[in-house]
Amino acid sequence: MSSVRVPRHARVRLTAAVAVVCALSAAPLAPRAVAADTPAYTETYRPQFHFTPEKNWMNDPNGLVYYKGEYHLFYQYNPSGNSWGDMSWGHAVSTDLVHWKELPLALSHDDEEMVFSGSAVVDWNNTTGFGTETNPPMVAVYTSAYKEGGKQAQSLAYSTDRGRTWTKYQGNPVIDIGSTDFRDPKVQWYEPTKSWLMTVSLSAEHKVRFYSSKNLKDWDLLSEFGPAGATGGVWECPDLFPLAVDGDRNTIKWVLVVNINPGGIAGGSAAQYFVGDFDGKKFTAEDKGTYTPPDGTVMQDFEGTDFGSWTTTGTAFGQGPATGAVDGQGAVSGFEGKGLANSFHSGDGTTGTLTSPEFTVDRAYLNFKTGGGRHPHEAGTVMEQTPPEGTVLADFEGGSYGGWTATGDAFGTAPAGGTLPGQQQVSGFLGDGLVNTFLNGDSTTGTLTSPEFTIDKKHINFLIGGGNHPAGSADPTAVELLVDGQVVRSATGQDAEALNWASWDVGDLAGKKARIRIVDDNTGGWGHLNVDHIMQSDTRAQRVSTETSVNLLVDGQVVRSATGADSETLDWASFDMRPYLGKKARIQIVDMNTGGWGHVLADRFTAADKPAKSVVQRADWADYGKDYYAAVSWENAPGGKRYMIGWMNNWDYGGSIPTSPWRGAQSVPREMALRTINGRIQLTSKPVAGLESLREKVPATASDVTVTDTSKPLTGAAAKGQVLDIEATFSLKDAARFGLRVRTGAGGEETVIGYDATTQELFVDRTRSGAVDFHNSFATGVQTAPLMPENGRVKLRILVDRSSVEVFGGSGEAVITDQIFPDPAGTGVEVFAEGGTTTLERMRAWQLRSIWK
């Protein structure tokens, strides 16, 4: 994997408009300042039992192999900074999968290629000739991401000194199909054919290919698998391995892990898996049958010639239901009957709404089909807005920067007219000009500074888009307000090309002389900025909706929302209506987006007693959290164990998390198994056993703690902390929801880990977990995983680190991994129940020692 996670380049020039794609923060959270004398691995958010590099950016785990007593962890690494770029292989080793030693850079990028994800094997029989029979080589199989043309091909490097130094093979690449989306080879020895087996991804096609080789150099194509399961994003970092079912070595099934981004179960990145059989050439997934949604009362099926009593605004939805695709649109599928709501009329440049009559909520769920663009509703936005009255400081019209002063080469000699060569579609600017520092790509840098002016109004408003690299972080892309030469306000983009309003409250600076400086000091992914229409006003500019969504309105407020997955195929979605039973509501289908995928599809609104499930919900996931991606397993682990690890981050906001001088962490290694649970074979995981060696000797304990509609702090010093290992068993009483709140006590902050008995789901709610406003998709929603109780009990294993929680439910079939960034003072643990009573039968909580001491 390891290309920057961005949509495919748009090909259509969008007219300038205020409707935009992504909302942006005017005052994003920069990483907490780290004192120059802060010892490494003691920083505020530094994980204490998860691997992180001492500094710089890290993403996918690579080259996982065990050799001569060492577990090797290679990983995607930027040796030049803590944002994505210059991808190379970092390296760490461990003897127990718990304590890690970071080693020097293993495989470096060079002038021709970046070193993307891959795997490593021990060539025991020296089939490559890179070593000797007495000193077999370690061979890395990686993706060469060529800088010229963007081609991706598979290449080799080898080491004969236990992975300490590496030599790239002179015959690279060893597989080249001329593709720009062909990556992440996972290689293993396949004993039945005495040959090497490669599993590799055709990412954009949602396929996995299998190749065979006798010497790691010459490869033959065996077969392909896919598309299947969830396909809402690119397929990356595949892994194929056998496991015994329920520990029976006579019953073997194969697991194919396919990481997907975006389109994961919790949004953004995730690790999907398939269970099936592999015959040496072909993987066949088990047939899960066809899906039939729950019965219900159809409220709107769009089968008429018009919208009936539903009302429209704008022009996006046309005069009535569509019968499929409209002019200029790709093939539309997945709708029911002959008609659907389709906002692609006249292309993505149109906007509008389609609203139902008011109705009384009388069923538990509202099921419907939706598709189109992936642009979620964002609270606090407005449907339309012209700029407020005020004084324009710069509109970047007229073909020049006027009195503004440029340095470097990112800004060129004049404002841009819109999208630049090689750039995704830029939208949301006003008029014909804007600042766009994508000149010659992300590699250029510079500043653009305004003439001095006097602050004489309450707000400075402006449109901003581009990369999310806040002022104060390494290599920023930011708009800064300078007073007396000091930065007093700043804003950055949100890794989206669309511009949206940002606003600074400058009432306290009235009468001050100031300048505005636009800074692009970043040459990595999203290393550019878009800026337009900078003005002073006594009115704060409100961000404009950019959603393509289906919303439920109660009392005029959006209380439920769903969006498409950048796909013309409609899929089932469901709103939980139980909190609104008896209330008046409306359904509103909204298209406020004029950029790429700026349209929405909807059909078959049905009131039902059970929720419909989407393809994503029906897929199988190794982890249901926001932050578990690029999951791959170790080869050659002792005792035939299968250990897996994933990048503990999400491409939606991975470049924005508030950590420094490092960015990126790995999950705890997990031991994988296949178990029959509720009649179905499922992949399960549990933390590697060695983690228990970090436990302090005396745990905090609790037993038979009964709570009713309340939250109760747990006492004892060991029941508090930033770094905890908790085992808890709850008995089901009549509570609707129950569980534990961790990292509590600092200004109302909490991370809620619980069980919803009404839906039989494990959940993690991090919406109040601490710093959540550094990116608009970080705190959205509650992560859930299906979990059936066992003998009337729910068992949880919870790992709490300084910036993460990992929750293992039941036998490990329900796992949720989420990053959190709480105040260090928040160390409390509470037991809670909502809607009734629960009993915490037994709990043990250990403080964990740091692996860095």
Side-chain angles (χ1 to χ4, degrees):
M1 127 190 157
S2 297
S3 56
V4 177
R5 298 304 179 255
V6 295
R8 303 290 295 167
H9 288 166
R11 300 295 183 190
V12 182
R13 165 70 165 91
L14 179 73
T15 52
V18 176
V20 290
V21 174
C22 183
L24 299 143
S25 170
L29 183 73
R32 285 184 185 267
V34 178
D37 58 351
T38 300
Y41 299 101
T42 66
E43 302 92 344
T44 299
Y45 295 136
R46 175 74 76 169
Q48 294 300 291
F49 60 91
H50 294 83
F51 176 76
T52 52
E54 181 177 354
K55 62 181 181 179
N56 297 341
W57 169 273
M58 175 182 70
N59 53 285
D60 305 359
N62 296 158
L64 307 182
V65 68
Y66 179 81
Y67 184 47
K68 291 188 175 180
E70 293 179 323
Y71 293 92
H72 290 264
L73 168 62
F74 300 91
Y75 47 87
Q76 290 289 280
Y77 184 68
N78 180 1
S80 307
N82 70 345
S83 59
W84 187 95
D86 290 343
M87 296 318 299
S88 307
W89 276 25
H91 190 193
V93 292
S94 173
T95 58
D96 60 2
L97 290 174
V98 176
H99 298 84
W100 294 95
K101 178 182 179 182
E102 185 175 357
L103 296 178
L105 191 68
L107 299 176
S108 178
H109 72 101
D110 57 33
D111 291 341
E112 294 184 359
E113 67 175 18
M114 287 194 285
V115 183
F116 277 13
S117 291
S119 53
V121 295
V122 179
D123 185 11
W124 295 105
N125 299 317
N126 195 31
T127 63
T128 57
F130 292 153
T132 65
E133 291 186 5
T134 57
N135 185 27
M138 187 183 293
V139 182
V141 190
Y142 67 92
T143 295
S144 290
Y146 293 102
K147 295 180 178 179
E148 184 174 346
K151 185 176 69 174
Q152 297 176 357
Q154 314 320 316
S155 294
L156 305 180
Y158 61 92
S159 171
T160 55
D161 59 359
R162 297 184 303 122
R164 268 54 179 183
T165 60
W166 290 84
T167 301
K168 291 182 180 179
Y169 175 45
Q170 292 300 308
N172 285 338
V174 294
I175 308 180
D176 181 2
I177 62 172
S179 172
T180 58
D181 286 291
F182 178 50
R183 53 183 175 266
D184 312 338
K186 179 64 189 291
V187 174
Q188 61 189 286
W189 180 254
Y190 187 68
E191 183 62 27
T193 59
K194 298 290 192 293
S195 59
W196 298 102
L197 172 66
M198 178 190 292
T199 306
V200 63
S201 184
L202 289 172
S203 299
E205 298 177 39
H206 308 116
K207 291 181 179 180
V208 170
R209 276 189 169 182
F210 303 101
Y211 288 86
S212 179
S213 174
K214 293 296 185 181
N215 59 8
L216 291 174
K217 300 174 183 178
D218 303 299
W219 293 89
D220 296 317
L221 177 63
L222 296 175
S223 64
E224 293 182 351
F225 172 81
T231 56
V234 293
W235 277 16
E236 297 183 313
C237 299
D239 194 3
L240 179 71
F241 51 85
L243 284 175
V245 178
D246 298 320
D248 181 1
R249 294 190 177 275
N250 294 316
T251 306
I252 300 294
K253 286 289 183 180
W254 286 75
V255 178
L256 176 63
V257 176
V258 180
N259 292 271
I260 180 173
N261 175 69
I265 182 63
S269 315
Q272 177 181 202
Y273 74 89
F274 301 88
V275 176
D277 297 298
F278 182 72
D279 64 4
K281 292 184 178 180
K282 182 180 180 181
F283 175 81
T284 303
E286 292 192 332
D287 185 2
K288 300 174 71 173
T290 58
Y291 176 69
T292 302
D295 291 332
T297 302
V298 177
M299 301 172 62
Q300 172 63 280
D301 58 9
F302 300 110
E303 292 301 293
T305 57
D306 57 28
F307 291 123
S309 56
W310 289 48
T311 58
T312 62
T313 65
T315 60
F317 291 92
Q319 299 300 309
T323 56
V326 298
D327 289 347
Q329 188 175 24
V332 173
S333 62
F335 57 99
E336 305 288 313
K338 298 179 180 179
L340 76 156
N342 184 342
S343 74
F344 195 76
H345 287 82
S346 300
D348 281 330
T350 53
T351 61
T353 64
L354 177 60
T355 307
S356 76
E358 190 173 67
F359 63 94
T360 300
V361 178
D362 60 2
R363 302 288 284 273
Y365 294 92
L366 177 67
N367 299 328
F368 54 96
K369 283 197 153 183
T370 188
R374 181 178 178 253
H375 306 291
H377 169 77
E378 184 187 357
T381 55
V382 295
M383 287 295 185
E384 57 182 283
Q385 182 195 31
T386 56
E389 295 292 327
T391 304
V392 176
L393 298 174
D395 60 9
F396 303 108
E397 304 295 313
S400 76
Y401 288 123
W404 289 57
T405 303
T407 67
D409 52 2
F411 294 86
T413 59
T419 307
L420 294 173
Q423 188 176 24
Q424 297 170 61
Q425 192 169 272
V426 175
S427 62
F429 57 100
L430 299 179
D432 296 319
L434 78 156
V435 173
N436 182 344
T437 69
F438 196 76
L439 190 66
N440 296 319
D442 281 329
S443 63
T444 52
T445 61
T447 66
L448 183 66
T449 306
S450 76
E452 191 173 67
F453 63 94
T454 300
I455 298 175
D456 58 7
K457 297 190 183 300
K458 295 179 181 179
H459 300 276
I460 295 178
N461 302 318
F462 51 95
L463 291 164
I464 183 173
N468 187 325
H469 307 286
S473 65
D475 308 323
T477 53
V479 178
E480 301 172 338
L481 179 66
L482 306 177
V483 174
D484 297 327
Q486 301 298 310
V487 177
V488 296
R489 302 285 190 276
S490 68
T492 189
Q494 290 284 295
D495 292 348
E497 298 295 9
L499 291 80
N500 209 332
W501 288 107
S503 184
W504 292 322
D505 184 340
V506 291
D508 61 324
L509 300 174
K512 295 280 190 180
K513 300 288 187 182
R515 297 181 190 271
I516 290 172
R517 181 172 63 194
I518 304 171
V519 180
D520 176 359
D521 196 30
N522 197 293
T523 59
W526 284 106
H528 64 278
L529 205 62
N530 308 324
V531 182
D532 194 24
H533 208 80
I534 303 171
M535 63 179 301
Q536 293 198 75
S537 176
D538 287 327
T539 303
R540 181 185 183 91
Q542 291 182 272
R543 295 203 304 268
V544 180
S545 167
T546 64
E547 65 200 274
T548 52
S549 61
V550 178
N551 298 331
L552 177 71
L553 279 64
V554 176
D555 297 327
Q557 301 298 311
V558 176
V559 296
R560 294 282 189 271
S561 185
T563 189
D566 289 351
S567 172
E568 303 292 18
T569 300
L570 287 81
D571 194 9
W572 285 106
S574 183
F575 289 155
D576 183 350
M577 307 290 278
R578 291 173 298 170
Y580 313 109
L581 289 171
K583 291 183 176 291
K584 300 290 186 181
R586 295 182 190 270
I587 301 163
Q588 187 171 68
I589 309 170
V590 181
D591 175 0
M592 289 302 298
N593 198 291
T594 61
W597 285 105
H599 62 279
V600 61
L601 312 172
D603 194 22
R604 193 58 66 96
F605 288 89
T606 306
D609 296 326
K610 294 182 179 180
K613 292 185 176 181
S614 67
V615 169
V616 172
Q617 291 171 311
R618 302 194 308 269
D620 292 314
W621 303 93
D623 193 297
Y624 287 78
K626 282 272 197 178
D627 295 304
Y628 188 74
Y629 190 60
V632 288
S633 64
W634 267 274
E635 291 301 320
N636 197 38
K641 299 284 189 179
R642 182 61 58 171
Y643 299 115
M644 180 170 281
I645 194 170
W647 179 47
M648 201 161 58
N649 210 338
N650 190 309
W651 282 112
D652 275 358
Y653 47 74
S656 306
I657 60 171
T659 63
S660 181
W662 83 100
R663 185 173 279 126
Q666 304 294 347
S667 73
V668 294
R670 303 169 182 184
E671 183 177 346
M672 312 307 291
L674 284 176
R675 303 181 189 278
T676 304
I677 299 172
N678 301 316
R680 191 166 67 88
I681 298 174
Q682 297 184 55
L683 184 66
T684 66
S685 61
K686 64 180 180 180
V688 62
L691 194 66
E692 297 175 12
S693 68
L694 301 179
R695 292 172 171 176
E696 296 290 356
K697 291 183 179 180
V698 180
T701 61
S703 59
D704 297 326
V705 179
T706 299
V707 289
T708 303
D709 289 320
T710 190
S711 186
K712 180 179 180 180
L714 295 173
T715 58
K720 297 181 179 180
Q722 300 176 358
V723 184
L724 297 169
D725 184 351
I726 302 171
E727 295 177 350
T729 301
F730 290 86
S731 61
L732 289 166
K733 303 292 187 183
D734 62 355
R737 289 156 51 98
F738 57 84
L740 297 174
R741 308 180 196 273
V742 300
R743 298 303 303 268
T744 68
E749 290 183 7
E750 61 181 11
T751 298
V752 185
I753 299 164
Y755 186 75
D756 189 326
T758 66
T759 60
Q760 295 186 320
E761 290 177 321
L762 177 69
F763 69 88
V764 173
D765 182 348
R766 68 176 181 192
T767 55
R768 298 175 301 280
S769 60
V772 298
D773 59 351
F774 54 85
H775 196 281
N776 57 20
S777 67
F778 179 79
T780 54
V782 177
Q783 285 63 260
T784 63
L787 178 64
M788 296 285 287
E790 185 175 356
N791 298 321
R793 293 177 173 83
V794 173
K795 294 183 178 180
L796 304 178
R797 172 90 179 270
I798 302 169
L799 302 178
V800 182
D801 208 339
R802 287 187 180 175
S803 54
S804 66
V805 292
E806 290 168 283
V807 185
F808 300 80
S811 299
E813 69 271 27
V815 186
I816 298 176
T817 299
D818 277 353
Q819 293 182 94
I820 57 173
F821 299 100
D823 189 303
T827 59
V829 178
E830 301 177 2
V831 59
F832 76 91
E834 298 172 357
T837 299
T838 193
T839 296
L840 176 60
E841 287 189 358
R842 184 170 184 261
M843 187 204 76
R844 293 186 296 173
W846 291 267
Q847 300 271 353
L848 294 185
R849 293 183 293 274
S850 173
I851 64 173
W852 307 119
K853 295 180 180 178

